[in-house]
Structures are given as structure tokens and as C-alpha cells.
Amino acid sequence: MDTLRIWTFMALLVSISFATGNTTAEDAEFDFRFDEPSDGEGSVDPESIIELKVTIENFLNEPREYELFITNANDLESNGLDVWWSNDGQDELSSEATSLPAVDVADNSIRNGITVTVSATESALYGTYNINVKCRDKENSDPEGNKQVLDLTINVNEKAGVSIEVDGGGSTEGSVDIGGETTYQIKINNDGNKQDTISLSTSSNDWDADFNDDSITIDAFSSQIVTLTIEAEDNIDYGDKDELTITASSGNDGNVANTLELTTFVRVYYGIGLTAVSNNVVGQPGDSVNFNFQILNKWSESVSYEIVKID
């Protein structure tokens, strides 16, 4: 009796297992999966392009027509990534569409090489992004319920970049009084695709020069303004100048830096000084007499002048 019960129980388990296997096979009418790379993940530099490929396998004994979508293309575009279907597994596509309305797969067949092209623009932000792709059987009575989805993964590589300029397109030349100080508003640009801490330094200058902040953290593709104060010495003359080089260095990449050269002149007193050498000259009636004057050019460069007698 016990033996009979055991055999009956085992037969029941086999029957259940067989029934369950049939159910799984019937539910899987097709398979939507990664093709190349096999893990669905790739990396790309800004201003570069990469291709990711998917596969559709039709398990049915009849040909089917499938429809494919990229469902988050707008979100990716806001992060500097353009994505589109570029190949349907047979032909290159001329349009950069985010949907494929008809992909035919023969019965019990596989369509490989269905390609998503990813273009990382100049403004592509560093990070990892999912590309949501969807496949559905157009001939199924409930195509949306029958859909399958995949998340392709794209890694945007880091690119560091720094530039520096006088804010507002201002001049790289300035002026200062003897023993005085002057300031420049310097615009630091993070041209990289990742937040960066940029360090600032000066070189080749004789006069004192200081930033209000010599280490600044700037978001990707953003700018920040710092103030550079230059203090002139007391023992300088009109027309003297001091040349200075600013270096802005990326904290993300030690090989990335940029420079800006500034020239500061000693500010002159505007105008010309006119001083009589002598105020009194002796002469007889009818004689010509000469008055001598000393003329002081108060500019830092040569000038032309005219003296006019005023009655």
C-alpha cells in the first residue's frame, strides 16, 4: 500500500511539473534581449557615438510583426544624449526615429542587430544613464500587455575643461595709482562635463596680487566670477607696468589648465603741466622779450600739444 501511495504521489508531481512547463512555454511567445554588447552596457566620450544592439526571437510557428520604442529619449536629450533606432536588423535607417513601427521576424526565427545609436553631444553630462526600450507584438490581441522592456546602459566618460577670461569681455589691461590698488573681475569657466574644483594662481608679477578665493567649485558647463586685487608699489614711476599670468587648474584632471595674461600700468595724471621759468623779464620799449616755460607731460606716452596766448 505504501509503495502504491509513493508511486501515485510521484506521478502527481511529474504531472504538475509537466503542466507548469507547458504554461511557461505558452506564455513566452517571443524574447527581447541584449545582443551586442551582451550585457547591454557601453561607454562613450562627449562628442562621440556608440551603438547598442538588441535581438528579437520569435517562438511561434508563424511570422510576427513587432513594434519597438525608445521611451525616455526626451529625458536623455536633456542630459546631452541623442538616441535613435539606426538599423532594424536588416537595413540601415535614414531617419533618426525613436520608434520602429514594423520589424518582421519569421516563424521560430531570430532577428539580431537591431541597433540603437547613442550620440553624446559636447554638453553630455558625466554619469550613467539607462535607455528604456520596449518591444511589443503588434499582432497580439493585447500588444501592450504582451510587451517586453529592456534597460540599455550608457556611461558618459568624464571630460575636464577650464577657460578663463575678464568678465563681461573686459580688457586685459588696467591701470593703478602709485602705491594704490586696482581690481579685475575674472570669470572662471568649467568647460568640463563634471563638477570641478578649480585652483587659481599667479606668476611672473612683481606687484602683490591676491584673489578673494583661489579655490572654487563649479558645476559642469558653469562659471563663477572671482576678484583679483593688484597693489602697486610706492617706488614706481608713471608709465611703469606689471605683467601677470593667471593659471586656472582643474582638480579633476591635473593635465588640464588654462592661463590669462594681464598688464597693469601706473595711472598718470591727465593733462599737461605748464610752469613759467621766470615771471619777470626786463626790456626797453619796442624791444622783444622772451618768457620761458617748462612743459610737463603727465601722460605715460608722448603727446602733441599747442600753446595759445590768451589776451
Side-chain angles (χ1 to χ4, degrees):
M1 179 65 71
D2 290 339
T3 301
L4 179 60
R5 289 177 178 174
I6 290 172
W7 279 107
T8 302
F9 179 69
M10 291 180 64
L12 179 61
L13 288 178
V14 171
S15 176
I16 293 173
S17 176
F18 180 76
T20 302
N22 283 346
T23 301
T24 302
E26 290 173 0
D27 287 345
E29 296 180 352
F30 72 95
D31 187 29
F32 185 47
R33 60 179 181 267
F34 302 134
D35 182 5
E36 296 178 12
S38 59
D39 61 356
E41 182 171 352
S43 297
V44 64
D45 293 323
E47 299 183 88
S48 299
I49 289 177
I50 190 174
E51 292 182 345
L52 304 173
K53 299 179 180 181
V54 295
T55 291
I56 301 174
E57 182 172 3
N58 178 14
F59 293 137
L60 299 178
N61 295 321
E62 58 182 81
R64 305 295 278 193
E65 187 176 72
Y66 300 92
E67 190 173 18
L68 290 88
F69 304 88
I70 301 171
T71 59
N72 64 332
N74 290 338
D75 292 337
L76 293 168
E77 184 179 3
S78 66
N79 287 289
L81 294 173
D82 295 328
V83 295
W84 65 91
W85 296 105
S86 58
N87 193 303
D88 64 3
Q90 288 186 335
D91 300 307
E92 295 288 336
L93 305 175
S94 58
S95 63
E96 297 182 356
T98 57
S99 64
L100 284 179
V103 176
D104 295 320
V105 183
D107 54 297
N108 295 303
S109 297
I110 297 175
R111 174 74 72 89
N112 294 318
I114 304 171
T115 305
V116 174
T117 293
V118 183
S119 174
T121 66
E122 181 181 9
S123 59
L125 293 171
Y126 167 81
T128 298
Y129 303 89
N130 287 331
I131 303 172
N132 307 137
V133 291
K134 179 176 69 172
C135 177
R136 66 185 187 185
D137 183 352
K138 293 178 65 176
E139 299 178 55
N140 189 279
S141 58
D142 182 16
E144 191 63 24
N146 184 252
K147 70 182 179 183
Q148 293 186 31
V149 296
L150 289 175
D151 282 341
L152 302 171
T153 302
I154 191 74
N155 302 301
V156 178
N157 298 325
E158 178 183 342
K159 180 181 179 181
V162 177
S163 61
I164 181 171
E165 59 189 300
V166 178
D167 184 44
S171 174
T172 57
E173 294 184 351
S175 60
V176 65
D177 292 325
I178 295 176
E181 65 178 36
T182 189
T183 59
Y184 293 88
Q185 299 300 305
I186 306 300
K187 185 178 181 180
I188 312 299
N189 305 305
N190 177 8
D191 299 322
N193 66 348
K194 180 183 179 183
Q195 186 184 81
D196 199 351
T197 298
I198 298 171
S199 58
L200 305 173
S201 62
T202 60
S203 60
S204 72
N205 53 302
D206 295 323
W207 304 343
D208 289 338
D210 294 294
F211 292 102
N212 67 317
D213 193 347
D214 61 6
S215 180
I216 52 177
T217 299
I218 308 176
D219 289 337
F221 306 117
S222 299
S223 304
Q224 189 169 324
I225 297 171
V226 297
T227 300
L228 174 66
T229 301
I230 295 178
E231 185 175 348
E233 299 174 350
D234 294 325
N235 58 343
I236 55 178
D237 296 321
Y238 297 115
D240 286 351
K241 64 180 180 181
D242 189 53
E243 296 176 333
L244 171 148
T245 300
I246 302 173
T247 301
S249 303
S250 166
N252 292 338
D253 187 337
N255 295 317
V256 174
N258 217 324
T259 60
L260 176 69
E261 295 184 353
L262 301 176
T263 302
T264 305
F265 294 91
V266 177
R267 186 179 297 128
V268 299
Y269 294 110
Y270 299 108
I272 294 177
L274 181 64
T275 305
V277 175
S278 60
N279 292 322
N280 298 312
V281 177
V282 179
Q284 297 297 322
D287 292 343
S288 295
V289 295
N290 296 319
F291 288 88
N292 294 322
F293 297 89
Q294 180 182 19
I295 298 174
L296 175 63
N297 177 11
K298 295 183 179 180
W299 294 82
S300 57
E301 57 186 22
S302 62
V303 297
S304 297
Y305 62 90
E306 179 183 10
I307 297 177
V308 178
K309 179 178 72 72
I310 300 176
D311 294 332

